[in-house]
Amino acid sequence: MRTNASLHHKQGYYWVVVGTVCIGAFMAALDASIINVAMPTLSKSFAVSMDSVEWVSIAYLLTLTSLLTLLGSLSDRLGRKKFYTIGFAIFGLGSGLCGLVSTMPLLIGSRVLQALGAAMLQANSIAIITSVVPSTSRGKAIGIQGAAQAIGLSIGPTVGGLIIGSFGWRLIFYINIPVAIIGTITASFILPKDQPNLHSSRFDYLGALLFTPFLILLVLIFKDGYKVGWLSPEILAESLVCIIFLSLFILREKKCKNPMIDFNLFKNRTFTSGNITGLLSYSLMFGVLFLMPFYLEWVLQLSPFLVGLIMTVVSLAMFIMSPFSGALADHMGTKLLTSSGMIISSLGAIVLILLSNNTAAYVYLLGLVLVGAGIGIFTPPNNSSVMGSIPPEHAGVAGGILNMSRSLGMSMGVAIAGTLYDGAFSDYSLIHHTLAKAQILSFHVGFAGITVLGIIASVICVFAAKHSDNTSVELNKYISLH
């Protein structure tokens, strides 16, 4: 503790804290981007279909989505440093177990443990920075943390492809362990000791208990609907139970003094449309990130290293375009940028529908660049529009909803892309005698479904841009009266 206390009084100490937080941001982003490249290899190693291996990603994302607000509230009450440090340790433990498992169910369970650690890190990273860094440097500090995430996302596919091709898939999980150990030790000594706030507003635990099964059932419906039939007894039963949980959750939130989600915010059209399009944009991107490695390995027979190198262009395009879009949004507003960004991403997805068993490299690279650039153009102004449309005192709740929307979009993108491919492959394999023909047609169906999501988001962006005036004023009046 002496080390920690002495550091507090040194000038620039808060940048050491930011550096510690960046370790977690980098590690989580690196793992998230590596796993997509590993999917075809995992499918082959465990001898399972795409329908099964997609749970490696979905289980992680669902766990992360459902726990972020809960863990954020608990850490406010019990101490952020404690939760952040434990999060590093749990993430490292989960990573080690992922590398050791011999069955797909055990791998999925280990990914859930990983996600628990990641949620403890993500729920506290911005809060720790905000509490330590002076307001004059806060924007720069948050930007550095975002850059650490962007670097992790950018190098993840190449690093993952190189590791898988040279050493096997297990090492992509083992490399997290030394980083997690360093993070745990660093956080223990560097992060300031915060006092638990047991008198802070109580978290809506019953609301979280109702919301989690709703999320899981919603993803299951999208995952299995195409494959088993939208009107099948299984899907109808899941839909009924999903609606029941959603209804109970909404009733609970309207009566709760400190709701998990403030539904009054959704009376603001800009806030609502921004969250919906944010969800759809991440569904599009993660659908592409999930399907594309399978196409490159299964159809084009490329090595994992080349697949990783190719997939890097999505993150690089985002990394390049995001700062420009954010800067432009400050001068020209958000409407044109959000609309054009989603249209560009949708065009990229359309290009990917045209893939064949001998597509030239420039074609699929063009599609991937357009998807990444479009999301990079769309995301900063959309986030700015959403957060700028609500009163400042509701920024924390609004930010939590925005993060949940994006995380849910990631889960749905993987689920939709996987089920469309798997369902189409089951049909086409009975019609066509060649595996290659059935595969390529199934990829067409998968990318077409993802394109539809992008088109819907584009239409919403254009429509919302024409009707976004005065929504924040109306919401401010509503909240002041209630």
Side-chain angles (χ1 to χ4, degrees):
M1 280 302 172
R2 291 180 181 175
T3 303
N4 199 314
S6 63
L7 277 171
H8 288 184
H9 298 93
K10 291 186 177 180
Q11 188 176 12
Y13 158 73
Y14 51 83
W15 291 119
V16 182
V17 174
V18 172
T20 303
V21 172
C22 284
I23 296 174
F26 174 81
M27 181 179 68
L30 183 72
D31 183 79
S33 57
I34 279 181
I35 197 65
N36 289 311
V37 179
M39 289 296 187
T41 302
L42 293 174
S43 176
K44 183 179 179 180
S45 297
F46 288 97
V48 296
S49 66
M50 183 188 292
D51 183 56
S52 297
V53 78
E54 66 188 68
W55 276 107
V56 174
S57 180
I58 292 175
Y60 180 94
L61 293 170
L62 275 178
T63 303
L64 190 67
T65 304
S66 60
L67 290 179
L68 276 174
T69 53
L70 171 61
L71 292 173
S73 176
L74 285 175
S75 61
D76 285 342
R77 292 172 61 83
L78 303 177
R80 297 186 187 115
K81 174 179 179 176
K82 181 189 302 182
F83 272 69
Y84 199 83
T85 305
I86 294 173
F88 266 124
I90 292 176
F91 192 91
L93 176 61
S95 298
L97 292 175
C98 285
L100 291 171
V101 299
S102 57
T103 65
M104 182 55 65
L106 287 176
L107 178 59
I108 293 170
S110 300
R111 286 283 287 170
V112 170
L113 185 62
Q114 249 193 331
L116 171 61
M120 296 177 81
L121 293 172
Q122 288 192 26
N124 287 284
S125 58
I126 298 297
I128 290 172
I129 290 176
T130 303
S131 65
V132 174
V133 179
S135 58
T136 53
S137 301
R138 198 169 294 154
K140 181 179 179 182
I142 294 175
I144 291 173
Q145 191 247 9
Q149 289 179 316
I151 293 170
L153 287 171
S154 298
I155 69 172
T158 303
V159 171
L162 180 60
I163 290 174
I164 294 168
S166 304
F167 306 103
W169 63 268
R170 295 183 188 275
L171 190 60
I172 67 169
F173 295 110
Y174 290 146
I175 63 172
N176 290 326
I177 297 176
V179 181
I181 292 173
I182 293 171
T184 303
I185 296 172
T186 306
S188 299
F189 285 94
I190 298 298
L191 296 185
K193 185 177 181 180
D194 48 345
Q195 293 298 323
N197 184 11
L198 299 178
H199 300 290
S200 64
S201 299
R202 287 187 59 82
F203 181 74
D204 182 16
Y205 297 105
L206 178 57
L209 192 63
L210 294 170
F211 189 66
T212 299
F214 159 71
L215 280 182
I216 295 172
L217 286 166
L218 182 64
V219 173
L220 280 174
I221 291 166
F222 279 102
K223 180 182 179 299
D224 297 329
Y226 179 84
K227 185 173 59 177
V228 302
W230 294 107
L231 298 178
S232 66
E234 176 185 341
I235 296 299
L236 290 176
E238 289 178 354
S239 300
L240 177 61
V241 178
C242 183
I243 292 171
I244 290 173
F245 273 111
L246 177 60
S247 301
L248 292 173
F249 175 70
I250 292 174
L251 289 174
R252 165 65 183 174
E253 297 307 280
K254 288 186 175 181
K255 295 179 179 179
C256 183
K257 185 178 179 180
N258 299 296
M260 176 178 158
I261 295 178
D262 186 353
F263 283 97
N264 289 331
L265 296 175
F266 289 97
K267 296 180 181 294
N268 183 326
R269 185 176 295 172
T270 301
F271 181 84
T272 302
S273 62
N275 275 282
I276 293 173
T277 52
L279 183 151
L280 292 172
S281 71
Y282 272 73
S283 294
L284 183 152
M285 181 173 69
F286 268 70
V288 169
L289 292 175
F290 176 76
L291 273 186
M292 199 63 192
F294 285 98
Y295 166 78
L296 295 172
E297 283 200 35
W298 286 359
V299 177
L300 299 187
Q301 300 291 307
L302 299 181
S303 68
F305 174 68
L306 283 176
V307 172
L309 203 60
I310 291 167
M311 295 304 298
T312 301
V313 302
V314 178
S315 299
L316 284 176
M318 287 181 61
F319 182 71
I320 292 170
M321 297 307 300
S322 290
F324 288 106
S325 180
L328 283 173
D330 291 336
H331 297 284
M332 58 182 292
T334 62
K335 302 175 184 180
L336 178 62
L337 291 168
T338 53
S339 301
S340 60
M342 280 313 310
I343 291 171
I344 291 170
S345 286
S346 301
L347 290 174
I350 290 173
V351 171
L352 298 179
I353 299 176
L354 306 176
L355 300 179
S356 66
N357 56 5
N358 57 1
T359 300
Y362 72 86
V363 176
Y364 57 73
L365 285 173
L366 173 63
L368 292 174
V369 168
L370 288 175
V371 168
I375 298 298
I377 293 170
F378 165 84
T379 301
N382 185 65
N383 291 351
S384 176
S385 175
V386 169
M387 298 305 293
S389 69
I390 51 93
E393 61 269 22
H394 292 269
V397 175
I401 294 172
L402 184 60
N403 283 330
M404 280 197 297
S405 297
R406 289 190 302 213
S407 297
L408 180 59
M410 297 175 194
S411 303
M412 289 179 58
V414 174
I416 292 171
T419 193
L420 287 176
Y421 174 90
D422 206 58
F425 184 76
S426 297
D427 295 334
Y428 286 128
S429 59
L430 298 175
I431 301 172
H432 300 279
H433 296 292
T434 62
L435 173 66
K437 185 68 173 178
Q439 278 183 337
I440 198 64
L441 290 174
S442 300
F443 279 115
H444 289 170
V445 173
F447 284 119
I450 295 169
T451 301
V452 171
L453 299 178
I455 292 173
I456 294 173
S458 300
V459 171
I460 294 174
C461 282
V462 173
F463 179 78
K466 295 179 180 179
H467 299 81
S468 60
D469 294 334
N470 300 321
T471 51
S472 61
V473 174
E474 293 169 6
L475 182 70
N476 274 316
K477 290 179 180 178
Y478 180 88
I479 291 176
S480 67
L481 292 172
H482 291 76

